[in-house]
Amino acid sequence: MKQHAIAIHGGAGTILRSLMSSEKERSYKKGLEDAILAGDKILSNGGSALDAVELAVRALEDNPLFNAGKGAVFTNEGKNEMDASIMDGRNLMAGAVSGIQNIKNPISLSRAVMEKSEHVYLSGLGAKQFADKMKFEYTPDEYFYVQQRFDQLQSAKESDTMVLDHTGDSLEHGEKKFGTVGAVALDVHGNIAAATSTGGMTNKKFGRVGDSPIIGAGTYANNNTCAISCTGHGEFFIRAVVAYDISCLMEYKGLSLKAACDIVVNQKLVTFGGEGGLVAIDAKGNIELPFNSEGMYRGMKKSDGELYLGIYKD
Ligand code: ASP
């Protein structure tokens, strides 16, 4: 049997061991493990990388700990506006949505855009109309109400700042974390895929959209190079076209996945001032989980290896 593998993230940022209770750490690890195992099960049964990344991201979207789906942060107007994208490395098909509300699993809507529309990217009201047409169930506002997220909005409003999930002065004991969830996978057929989903920034205004739904910035997949899902300060990730940059270094310069990730995450982004990280896989099953922040919720499992879970830098 050919090998398969999956890697996921649940956000990056100033995540310090000294600020984490063991109970909270356990909950995060359980959330990551459940998502990896959901994707791994698909892959072990010969399923596609696309199904695996969608399912892993759905599991993270359903978990209120992560800034996506149920745990999505609040906008300035007290709404949950979510962004997501998915890409199939087999044929470079992609789907994305932004500014969507009342959809339980935005990642599945982005997949519907890819598979059932002639477009790549739908936003706001139009995306909602498409969701209705595709018979996506309406999920009421109460489902997305998470007290901690609402408190974060109040504190961001007080300081009139737009906050990337838990930023420095957050209620989470000074923890600074970029939210967002994502997954990349390789299936036994040799195909790779990537998926990313987020609530974006607390207190965001004016229809702000980050890198997560932007193909080439927050998400990219190409069987010939790599599949990437990013998390971090979206404005920088958009301007640095992070995911596609890694793919280009591999395609045009012949760099390995590791070397390409290192240049983009630990050199270019650092110089640029873009904090965050990403998960990456290539068609040989190599996995990289680079980040230039203090920590990144992350995990991976290869068919011939143990489950790995990580939060901090060490
Ligand atoms: N990259 C996301 C954005 O800018 C945020 C994050 O990763 O937490 O919307």
Side-chain angles (χ1 to χ4, degrees):
M1 182 103 156
K2 283 198 172 159
Q3 63 164 334
H4 57 80
I6 182 163
I8 65 167
H9 69 77
T14 309
I15 308 164
L16 298 168
R17 186 175 274 118
S18 56
L19 300 174
M20 180 82 80
S21 70
S22 52
E23 193 191 332
K24 205 168 138 205
E25 185 176 311
R26 262 199 308 279
S27 313
Y28 273 109
K29 284 194 165 164
K30 172 86 173 61
L32 291 171
E33 181 173 345
D34 288 351
I36 291 180
L37 294 182
D40 180 68
K41 194 168 168 198
I42 302 262
L43 298 170
S44 312
N45 291 329
S48 71
L50 199 63
D51 285 344
V53 293
E54 182 189 4
L55 212 74
V57 166
R58 282 179 68 106
L60 295 164
E61 286 177 336
D62 293 345
N63 188 330
L65 284 177
F66 301 101
N67 173 18
K70 180 161 178 53
V73 297
F74 284 96
T75 66
N76 178 261
E77 292 174 328
K79 295 186 174 140
N80 309 99
E81 287 180 3
M82 300 166 286
D83 312 326
S85 66
I86 194 162
M87 186 157 182
D88 189 344
R90 201 172 27 159
N91 48 18
L92 304 187
M93 291 294 284
V97 291
S98 67
I100 56 158
Q101 297 175 37
N102 304 107
I103 296 290
K104 185 166 178 269
N105 294 110
I107 199 65
S108 297
L109 183 57
S110 70
R111 183 165 178 181
V113 172
M114 174 174 84
E115 292 178 337
K116 302 197 170 110
S117 84
E118 62 204 63
H119 308 296
V120 170
Y121 191 165
L122 301 180
S123 70
L125 208 60
K128 185 70 184 52
Q129 285 163 355
F130 176 73
D132 292 344
K133 192 174 162 208
M134 291 295 118
K135 308 238 174 317
F136 273 75
E137 213 175 296
Y138 175 90
T139 308
D141 290 345
E142 300 77 67
Y143 171 80
F144 298 95
Y145 188 92
V146 174
Q147 188 63 44
Q148 183 212 329
R149 299 291 188 216
F150 194 71
D151 294 344
Q152 281 172 345
L153 172 63
Q154 306 318 314
S155 111
K157 275 184 151 174
E158 270 163 33
S159 56
D160 197 23
T161 49
M162 198 157 52
V163 184
L164 277 146
D165 202 0
H166 312 273
T167 321
D169 60 350
S170 90
L171 305 168
E172 287 287 298
H173 323 293
E175 173 190 359
K176 180 178 172 190
K177 178 175 93 62
F178 302 106
T180 299
V181 305
V184 293
L186 164 70
D187 63 31
V188 293
H189 314 288
N191 296 314
I192 58 178
T196 311
S197 181
T198 190
M201 295 169 80
T202 298
N203 201 23
K204 64 185 178 182
K205 298 175 193 168
F206 315 123
R208 181 264 180 191
V209 177
D211 59 312
S212 308
I214 298 181
I215 298 302
T219 304
Y220 191 72
N222 180 342
N223 274 6
N224 295 327
T225 54
C226 57
I228 309 272
S229 169
C230 301
T231 174
H233 198 154
E235 279 69 8
F236 289 87
F237 279 64
I238 293 173
R239 289 160 61 214
V241 203
V242 168
Y244 188 58
D245 201 21
I246 293 175
S247 175
C248 285
L249 285 169
M250 296 176 74
E251 185 170 2
Y252 302 129
K253 283 203 140 188
L255 263 57
S256 67
L257 185 70
K258 187 173 173 32
C261 284
D262 188 52
I263 288 179
V264 174
V265 177
N266 296 318
Q267 297 177 37
K268 290 179 82 171
L269 269 177
V270 171
T271 311
F272 204 39
E275 188 182 352
L278 53 87
V279 291
I281 197 166
D282 67 17
K284 292 184 212 120
N286 295 307
I287 288 179
E288 294 297 326
L289 312 169
F291 54 96
N292 60 33
S293 45
E294 292 294 338
M296 180 170 82
Y297 293 106
R298 61 198 186 276
M300 59 174 233
K301 186 171 182 338
K302 295 187 182 186
S303 41
D304 56 1
E306 300 276 299
L307 175 82
Y308 163 81
L309 298 173
I311 297 180
Y312 317 104
K313 205 155 216 164
D314 48 329

